[in-house]
Amino acid sequence: MAPATSRKSVPKDRFPTLFATLKAQTYHDPSTRGPGSHTIRTIAWNPTGHLIATGSADRTLRIWNPEKPQVKNSTELRGHAGAIERVAWNPTKEAELASVSSDGTCRFWDVRTRACIATISLGGEGLTVVWASDGSLALAGRKDDTLIPIYLSPDSPPIAGNPLSQSLQTNQAIFNPVGPPTTLLLTTGDGSVKICSWPPPPPTVAAANSNPPNHNPVVSPSRSSTPAPSSSSTSLQTIHTLHAHTSACVSLALSPTSRYLAIGGSDALISLYDTHDWICRRTLSSLSGSVKTVSFSWDGSYVIGGSDEGTGIDIAHAETGEIVARIETSAPAPCVSWHPNGKYWIAYSGDPGGLKIVGAAGGGM
């Protein structure tokens, strides 16, 4: 039985002792046929933390119940014809999931019924997907550094908007954490993070008007679910640039309190920026390779990074940068994610047995 949810933050001086009591649970997928056959490429908790999704290189998309590790209690979602590159839950609905794949589609799922409720053609291989905090928009990214906004409404199917072609390598994106989307943050291949206004100007006026509109996009019912041609003049407008790393920025995450922005780079560093003045307060340097994922604990007190090089996951105190605990792993753990809702559980990929969640098997924290 999983420990009861506790919403009281654990201070830095007590964290090492209490975290050491947590026990890890492995979730073995029967799709595994040998080393590398079932590489987990993405993991994501749903908003309540009652479910966790994994997407794999072998096209397996599975929903796990953290408290019931047997595969018979999981749900497999079938439909993608290529590797699952990214999964993301609608922050306003605990059972709606978006997934992007190298098959060139973004799919939306109702995990209660296992039904794919919509499929959007991206016009190229998918790489990433992120939701606006109000659930009105999902933004999918292609491997050719083109972003596809997908507008959602309770009364109509998802609708793809005009493609947003980026001049730099674009690995990940996040929207402002509260309310309708007004700001978009993008990692880039030149080591910077672009802070852009949202929505972008309409294609017909983007070239002539440099001032972004101050309202949410109105989605016409006549829009097709296939993206418009890439020759559209629609473009994002940068309002600030963070020169965060000396090489490509790969991952980013806002703390739940919105106090810090964590940026992971291909230089094996995590930089923590204060969002009040956009100054880098500290840099974490314990990783061995490119930082593929970064994640904050539910209270914003602690931060971790995942890499496809080296072993072990170091847990750092966000306010001081001090390493307060470490998870020993037998292989690199590129995907890491804290439980979102009051528990200091950590899910990670890379273990030969499958998905692993520290805390799901019990403990005194």
Side-chain angles (χ1 to χ4, degrees):
M1 177 63 68
T5 299
S6 172
R7 293 186 179 274
K8 186 177 181 180
S9 295
V10 174
K12 177 171 66 74
D13 59 341
R14 297 184 58 208
F15 189 91
T17 300
L18 292 174
F19 187 80
T21 67
L22 297 183
K23 300 176 182 178
Q25 178 67 62
T26 301
Y27 302 77
H28 178 73
D29 197 307
S31 299
T32 304
R33 297 179 180 87
S37 68
H38 184 71
T39 302
I40 295 175
R41 302 178 76 95
T42 176
I43 59 178
W45 296 91
N46 79 335
T48 64
H50 294 141
L51 300 172
I52 187 168
T54 58
S56 303
D58 64 1
R59 303 177 295 180
T60 303
L61 175 55
R62 192 174 296 280
I63 312 300
W64 298 91
N65 179 338
E67 298 187 12
K68 298 180 179 180
Q70 297 80 12
V71 72
K72 67 179 181 180
N73 297 310
S74 70
T75 300
E76 184 176 356
L77 304 176
R78 299 180 178 180
H80 279 298
I84 313 299
E85 299 292 345
R86 182 76 64 160
V87 292
W89 295 86
N90 185 333
T92 67
K93 297 180 181 179
E94 63 179 348
E96 183 175 351
L97 180 77
S99 60
V100 295
S101 167
S102 60
D103 66 7
T105 65
C106 178
R107 290 176 177 257
F108 295 86
W109 308 85
D110 183 340
V111 303
R112 296 166 299 186
T113 62
R114 305 189 184 191
C116 177
I117 56 180
T119 301
I120 300 293
S121 174
L122 300 178
E125 292 186 63
L127 175 66
T128 189
V129 65
V130 63
W131 288 84
S133 61
D134 65 352
S136 65
L137 169 72
L139 185 69
R142 299 194 316 223
K143 292 183 179 180
D144 64 357
D145 306 313
T146 299
L147 304 174
I148 310 295
I150 303 170
Y151 302 99
L152 296 103
S153 167
D155 304 320
S156 61
I159 299 171
N162 292 298
L164 303 167
S165 181
Q166 305 304 298
S167 60
L168 294 170
Q169 173 188 331
T170 303
N171 296 304
Q172 194 174 342
I174 54 174
F175 284 101
N176 51 288
V178 178
T182 59
T183 308
L184 178 68
L185 287 75
L186 300 171
T187 62
T188 70
D190 69 354
S192 67
V193 170
K194 305 292 186 183
I195 304 176
C196 304
S197 58
W198 190 272
T204 55
V205 299
N209 182 9
S210 62
N211 294 318
N214 58 6
H215 59 275
N216 289 328
V218 177
V219 182
S220 169
S222 63
R223 285 189 182 176
S224 168
S225 62
T226 300
S230 58
S231 59
S232 165
S233 60
T234 301
S235 61
L236 291 169
Q237 297 192 346
T238 302
I239 55 180
H240 189 62
T241 300
L242 302 177
H243 299 284
H245 291 263
T246 57
S247 59
C249 291
V250 179
S251 55
L252 77 171
L254 272 169
S255 67
T257 62
S258 297
R259 172 68 188 279
Y260 291 112
L261 174 70
I263 305 169
S266 60
D267 53 8
L269 300 175
I270 298 174
S271 53
L272 292 179
Y273 275 77
D274 190 320
T275 59
H276 293 119
D277 52 19
W278 295 115
I279 292 176
C280 182
R281 296 301 180 189
R282 56 199 58 88
T283 300
L284 310 178
S285 59
S286 64
L287 283 85
S288 301
S290 180
V291 185
K292 300 299 185 181
T293 53
V294 285
S295 180
F296 283 94
S297 58
W298 62 274
D299 56 358
S301 297
Y302 304 97
V303 62
I304 54 176
S307 176
D308 53 12
E309 298 180 39
T311 59
I313 301 169
D314 287 325
I315 302 171
H317 185 239
E319 285 294 335
T320 63
E322 179 183 345
I323 303 300
V324 295
R326 179 178 172 87
I327 301 170
E328 297 296 343
T329 66
S330 60
C335 300
V336 296
S337 185
W338 287 92
H339 189 282
N341 194 23
K343 298 178 181 179
Y344 290 104
W345 294 6
I346 295 175
Y348 65 93
S349 67
D351 188 271
L355 171 70
K356 212 157 191 177
I357 303 179
V358 174
M365 192 179 205

